[in-house]
């Protein structure tokens, strides 16, 4: 897909995987809209790459619809959606502190799974009305899963369930949108150097990186962005979740 002057929407674009993806797409000539709950972070990246920043809770239908309308008014209908917005709660079902509050499980599913679907449905609605490109594509949507969706660790029930839902969503969504020329993919990152991990002590970061078979280090957000570009460039990639984890398989804890 030739990204020059195409409109791309990135959720969670203010930091980490989303920010790296926004920079990579902008470098390829795309007009980028960064959607993030943290509007100040999104504005900082948008100013850097000449993009548009919008505040949005991706789990809210009203806020997502408003964000899509504002993005379309500025940049036209989007050909690319990359969903990087998400939260990573860590809590046991039952611990010494008591039972996990249901609201915490629900919020993880709302942001990570429902939020991704919310943005996907609105993207598909708009992209379906676009003329097909030379490849026959009208658009490409990429959701962010996690290797926790395959082998979640103790304390990751909410996170793993939400990411597992994204994995399960990918194929049926791709099948449904295929007649419209819209591809749907997912990336399942392993342990990446995001803001959450950067807050850990250096020794802890090195220990986590050493658990990766090869390369034995934390993944870099730019490597996630490179995979996004590869997916966009290859029209045969559709309906699949790609692990990006250096062959890591998560232990129980």
């Amino acid at each position: 897909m030739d990204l020059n002057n195409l409109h791309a929407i990135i959720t969670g674009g203010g930091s980490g995987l989303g920010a790296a993806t926004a920079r990579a797409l902008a470098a390829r000539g795309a007009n980028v809209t960064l959607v993030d709950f943290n509007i100040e972070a999104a504005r900082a990246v948008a100013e850097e790459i000449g993009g548009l920043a919008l505040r949005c809770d991706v789990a809210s239908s009203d806020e997502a619809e408003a964000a899509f309308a504002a993005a379309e008014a500025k940049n036209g209908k989007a050909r690319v959606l990359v969903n990087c917005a998400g939260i990573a709660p860590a809590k046991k079902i039952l611990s010494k502190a008591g039972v996990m509050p249901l609201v915490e499980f629900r919020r993880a599913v709302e942001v990570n799974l429902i939020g991704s679907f919310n943005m996907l449905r609105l993207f598909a609605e708009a992209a379906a009305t676009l003329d097909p490109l030379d490849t026959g594509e009208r658009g490409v949507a990429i959701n962010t899963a996690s290797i926790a969706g395959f082998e979640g660790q103790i304390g990751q029930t909410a996170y793993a369930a939400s990411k597992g839902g994204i994995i399960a969503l990918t194929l049926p969504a791709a099948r449904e949108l295929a007649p419209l020329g819209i591809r749907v993919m997912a990336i399942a990152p392993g342990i990446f150097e995001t803001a959450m991990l950067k807050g850990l002590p250096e020794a802890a970061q090195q220990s986590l990186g050493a658990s990766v078979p090869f390369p034995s280090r934390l993944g870099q957000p730019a490597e996630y962005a490179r995979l996004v570009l590869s997916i966009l460039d290859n029209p045969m990639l559709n309906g699949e979740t790609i692990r990006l984890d250096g062959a890591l398989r998560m232990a129980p804890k």
Side-chain angles (χ1 to χ4, degrees):
M1 177 181 282
D2 182 0
L3 297 175
N4 195 43
N5 291 322
L6 294 188
H7 181 198
I9 296 176
I10 315 296
T11 72
S15 64
L17 306 180
T21 300
R23 293 185 181 103
L25 294 183
R28 285 274 295 267
N31 299 315
V32 178
T33 297
L34 301 99
V35 175
D36 203 300
F37 192 74
N38 184 342
I39 186 59
E40 294 304 323
R43 283 174 178 159
V45 178
E47 183 176 352
E48 173 191 335
I49 65 173
L52 171 67
L54 299 171
R55 184 193 180 281
C56 176
D57 178 352
V58 295
S60 166
S61 59
D62 290 343
E63 291 190 27
E65 289 168 11
F68 265 88
E72 183 176 331
K74 173 69 174 178
N75 292 320
K77 293 179 180 178
R79 293 275 188 182
V80 174
L81 170 69
V82 185
N83 278 317
C84 295
I87 57 175
K91 182 169 286 189
K92 293 181 179 180
I93 299 170
L94 186 61
S95 67
K96 293 178 180 179
V99 69
M100 178 194 296
L102 183 58
V103 66
E104 296 184 18
F105 187 95
R106 178 179 287 118
R107 184 58 180 165
V109 173
E110 285 178 345
V111 174
N112 296 344
L113 177 56
I114 295 176
S116 295
F117 177 80
N118 188 24
M119 302 300 286
L120 172 62
R121 71 186 181 95
L122 298 175
F123 170 76
E125 180 185 33
T129 66
L130 292 168
D131 293 331
L133 301 173
D134 292 342
T135 58
E137 301 167 284
R138 287 187 169 87
V140 181
I142 302 172
N143 292 323
T144 303
S146 168
I147 61 171
F150 294 100
E151 57 259 352
Q153 295 184 297
I154 291 171
Q156 287 188 325
T157 50
Y159 183 68
S162 66
K163 294 300 187 175
I166 290 175
I167 294 166
L169 169 68
T170 303
L171 180 58
R175 286 172 164 171
E176 182 177 332
L177 298 177
L180 300 174
I182 298 172
R183 293 192 283 130
V184 182
M185 288 287 293
I187 299 173
I191 304 174
F192 269 66
E193 191 177 280
T194 60
M196 180 179 65
L197 282 181
K198 284 182 179 179
L200 296 175
E202 182 64 28
Q205 294 184 45
Q206 291 181 0
S207 176
L208 287 170
S211 69
V212 181
F214 185 84
S216 295
R217 58 170 173 78
L218 300 178
Q220 301 297 315
E223 292 170 321
Y224 174 97
R226 284 167 60 187
L227 181 53
V228 168
L229 293 177
S230 295
I231 291 170
L232 296 177
D233 285 341
N234 192 333
M236 188 55 74
L237 287 172
N238 194 18
E240 182 60 87
T241 298
I242 302 175
R243 294 182 68 126
L244 187 64
D245 58 16
L248 177 64
R249 297 298 181 267
M250 301 291 281
K253 60 181 178 179

